[in-house]
Amino acid sequence: MSRTPLADGSLLEPRRRAYRVDQLIDAGTFGVTYRATVVSPPGQADASPSRSWLPPGAVVVIKEFYPDFAVRDAAGRIAVDDPEHGGAFDASLQRFRREAERLCYLSCLRGLRAARDVPGPDAGRRARAIDRLLARTDAIDVGDAMRLLEDLDDEARSAAAGAFAAAPLPIVHDYFSTSGNAYYVMEHLAGGTLKAVIDAERRDLGAVIHSVGDRAFRLRRPWAPDRLHGFAAAALDALEELHDGIPGQQLIHCDLKPGNIMFRTPGSTLPVLIDFGLTRDVTGAQSQTLLAGTGGYAPLEIDPVARGFYRDQGPFGGRNV
């Protein structure tokens, strides 16, 4: 990796909480991810640790905007050293911030929807406030959503926590800029990727003839129908929540593949869809000239292998066939 990641032990200090970087996890085309721990900001205690979704000691994953054509300068700021990359850098940063905002909003709305009808003395006011938020189709109001989530009483908070634990999308708790760089904070998924699970479960059959490639593989133990059905249903739930979760937007993932599906815990069979860098809102005008994603997995409109053959066949997204 030619990029310079944050050193282990580095502190990121947005607002009233801080994050200590513990370990580099991975580096992708547009970002670097770290395992981190929530800590109290130096010299002060967390203002409300009992009400925070991220109390000190919580383990999280932090994604830093850091495209592979950028550098970390002497001041620690992510920047480009070639002016020709300035336009691509600005566009990528805008997409990264939009991704963080959407994912955080989706997480908040999932918790609030689960908490809306929980009985209690504050139920009426809570339901009206959530309904007002869900009625907004003109803009995303993450600040309002986060405040509503933080103010939930114990019963409603428990319902929201249950919704988080079963979410088919990763829970994004926060996003911020500090030292001129952009970040977002998501839950730590400890179960690995579907790709890793498949790789561990497959058997090498050796050299073969008349096959794609020079080797063949087969799963040692094919998935039982119940496991496969549950997995597929949860994966479809992820796509549905991404598409319908934000009022006024219809998001499609565009990069669904085994490496972008994870599990919350080792041994879990319920998927969590990750990596939303190519996500598009099909309700708005979208560029149909970008070729991106993984060949064979990306939609035909942007598949780099398909060479954009379908780019001029109508609007991006679903169509009648």
Side-chain angles (χ1 to χ4, degrees), residues 170-185:
I171 300 304
V172 172
H173 295 281
D174 199 5
Y175 62 97
F176 60 90
S177 295
T178 184
S179 300
N181 300 332
Y183 302 87
Y184 67 80
V185 182

Side-chain angles (χ1 to χ4, degrees), residues 2-212:
S2 59
R3 286 167 285 186
T4 305
L6 293 170
D8 293 355
S10 298
L11 282 182
L12 300 172
E13 303 178 56
R15 296 188 286 275
R16 56 187 182 87
R17 107 174 16 106
Y19 304 97
R20 184 190 68 231
V21 174
D22 296 326
Q23 182 182 7
L24 172 70
I25 295 178
D26 194 15
T29 303
F30 296 104
V32 177
T33 54
Y34 308 89
R35 183 182 184 275
T37 302
V38 180
V39 297
S40 296
Q44 59 178 297
D46 193 285
S48 56
S50 64
R51 301 303 302 163
S52 175
W53 292 97
L54 288 178
V59 175
V60 295
V61 166
I62 294 181
K63 187 168 183 178
E64 178 182 44
F65 173 71
Y66 195 166
D68 56 9
F69 54 83
V71 297
R72 195 184 301 275
D73 64 22
R77 184 177 180 127
I78 306 300
V80 291
D81 55 1
D82 185 343
E84 291 186 1
H85 292 152
F89 182 91
D90 292 342
S92 299
L93 177 58
Q94 183 180 13
R95 283 197 300 270
F96 182 90
R97 287 175 168 159
R98 184 168 60 243
E99 172 186 338
E101 181 183 53
R102 284 170 168 170
L103 290 175
C104 190
Y105 198 55
L106 276 167
S107 297
C108 290
L109 292 185
R110 181 175 183 85
L112 292 171
R113 286 184 173 112
R116 183 194 179 281
D117 296 323
V118 174
D122 198 35
R125 184 202 63 81
R126 181 205 313 132
R128 289 190 294 273
I130 293 173
D131 287 346
R132 284 195 297 271
L133 186 71
L134 294 175
R136 295 201 61 180
T137 59
D138 58 330
I140 290 177
D141 193 341
V142 184
D144 194 16
M146 294 179 77
R147 284 188 293 272
L148 286 173
L149 201 60
E150 288 288 338
D151 289 342
L152 293 178
D153 59 33
D154 290 342
E155 290 77 12
R157 191 177 182 83
S158 179
F164 289 160
L169 301 177
I171 300 304
V172 172
H173 295 281
D174 199 5
Y175 62 97
F176 60 90
S177 295
T178 184
S179 300
N181 300 332
Y183 302 87
Y184 67 80
V185 182
M186 61 178 283
E187 65 174 313
H188 179 243
L189 300 170
T193 66
L194 175 62
K195 181 180 185 304
V197 170
I198 292 174
D199 287 346
E201 292 182 352
R202 71 183 187 174
R203 177 166 57 96
D204 190 343
L205 300 181
V208 296
I209 302 175
H210 303 305
S211 176
V212 177

